[in-house]
């Protein structure tokens, strides 16, 4: 069976919640995907999609995840603005295991512990600081057998793969897997269109959150870290968007990566942005029926 339509979801912290609203529009238009790829927070959402969950179920679980993060003050501003030299851990302010455990509970409820148990084709991306290469976690390693530019991992707990993809530099501790030291995939590939193309998908739709809002001077290490990543990701994002067959960009003025409590707002923004592109989305559906069946 040919791999027809893939969906690539961008990272973006709480802004990535918009991807749930976008997916709801796809559902309403009966557009089905054959594979999913995600980076950072987008990797968790993509994994839920690859587990064949509806947009409403993904929304419930992601809002529960957001609520637990807020309740336990995982991203409390004071925690993120501490000077790292006063901490024993020097490569990040937050132990990534705390976040991984919250994610792990959701997948255990679905009966999934290993990435190979995910029913649909799936990819998520991290970056290995030691080799300087993107790391592709996937349940389809055969598609990457001839690829030398990626490090491929296909036998791993799903929570560890997602935790590595979400390891935002200077905020989370880096993830240590095998001989690799991993950080957020957004450092090199925030919109993972390329892996889906490597896997042989005929069409790839991407979802991004690019915003032209200006950066205001800040002494917050959290804001500075987010800005550094934004600047580093911009050029690679433009290339990935250009190689996708349809891009849906959701702007999020005044909502940042760590704007906890804004998940529902972003879901609504995603739905509205995708709905405005109804004609383009409908065209994808028409092409699918006309040429692929």
């Amino acid at each position: 069976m040919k791999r027809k339509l893939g969906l690539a979801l961008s990272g973006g912290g709480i802004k990535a919640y918009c991807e749930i609203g976008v997916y709801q529009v796809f559902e309403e238009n009966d557009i089905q995907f054959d594979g999913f790829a995600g980076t950072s927070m987008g990797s968790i959402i993509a994994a839920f999609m690859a587990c064949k969950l509806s947009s409403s179920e993904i929304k419930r679980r992601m809002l529960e995840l957001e609520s637990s993060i807020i309740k336990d003050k995982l991203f409390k501003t004071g925690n993120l603005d501490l000077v790292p030299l006063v901490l024993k851990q020097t490569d990040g302010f937050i132990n990534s295991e705390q976040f991984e455990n919250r994610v792990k509970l959701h997948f255990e409820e679905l009966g999934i512990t290993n990435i190979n148990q995910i029913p649909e084709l799936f990819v998520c991306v991290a970056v290995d600081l030691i080799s300087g290469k993107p790391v592709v976690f996937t349940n389809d390693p055969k598609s990457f057998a001839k690829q030398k530019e990626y490090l491929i991992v296909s036998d791993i707990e799903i929570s560890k793969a997602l935790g590595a993809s979400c390891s935002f530099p200077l905020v989370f501790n880096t993830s240590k897997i095998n001989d690799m030291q991993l950080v957020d995939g957004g450092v090199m590939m925030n919109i993972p269109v390329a892996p889906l193309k490597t896997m042989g998908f005929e069409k790839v739709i991407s979802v991004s959150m690019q915003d032209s809002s200006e950066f205001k001077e800040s002494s917050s290490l959290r804001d500075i870290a987010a800005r550094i990543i934004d600047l580093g990701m911009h050029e690679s994002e433009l290339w990935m968007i250009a190689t996708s067959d349809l891009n849906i960009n959701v702007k999020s003025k005044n909502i940042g990566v760590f704007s906890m409590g804004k998940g529902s707002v972003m879901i609504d923004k995603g739905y509205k942005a995708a709905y405005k592109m109804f004609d383009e989305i409908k065209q994808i559906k028409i092409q699918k029926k006309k040429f692929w069946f």
Side-chain angles (χ1 to χ4, degrees), residues 224-242:
I224 292 171
R227 179 60 171 172
I228 290 170
I229 297 301
D230 282 344
L231 292 174
M233 291 187 307
H234 184 68
E235 290 302 318
S236 67
E237 283 189 339
L238 291 178
W239 181 76
M240 288 291 175
I241 288 171

Side-chain angles (χ1 to χ4, degrees), residues 113-117 124 136-138 153-162 164 177-178 180 182:
T113 55
N114 192 286
I115 195 169
N116 289 312
Q117 294 174 294
C124 70
V136 171
F137 298 101
T138 182
V153 179
S154 60
D155 185 10
I156 187 173
E157 288 183 33
I158 183 61
S159 59
K160 290 190 178 298
L162 297 176
I177 297 175
N178 299 333
M180 301 180 293
L182 304 176

Side-chain angles (χ1 to χ4, degrees), residues 5-9 19-20 23 27 32-38 41-55 57-58 61-62 107 110-112 114-124 137-140 158 162 196 199 201:
L5 190 59
L7 181 62
L9 301 183
E19 294 159 343
I20 304 168
Y23 194 57
E27 279 186 333
Q32 299 180 6
F33 293 89
D34 305 297
F36 303 87
M41 192 68 83
S43 71
I44 301 175
I45 298 171
F48 281 141
M49 292 176 182
C51 290
K52 301 183 178 182
L53 300 187
S54 66
S55 61
E57 178 65 9
I58 296 171
R61 290 185 178 277
M62 291 302 295
F107 285 92
L110 299 172
I112 293 174
N114 192 286
I115 195 169
N116 289 312
Q117 294 174 294
I118 294 180
E120 299 285 356
L121 293 171
F122 173 72
V123 166
C124 70
F137 298 101
T138 182
N139 55 3
D140 181 39
I158 183 61
L162 297 176
L196 291 177
M199 293 166 75
F201 284 89

Side-chain angles (χ1 to χ4, degrees), residues 86-103:
V86 305
L87 302 177
K88 291 182 180 179
Q89 56 187 56
T90 58
D91 65 351
F93 302 117
I94 297 172
N95 188 329
S96 59
E97 288 185 5
Q98 296 175 320
F99 183 73
E100 283 179 23
N101 288 337
R102 289 166 175 78
V103 173

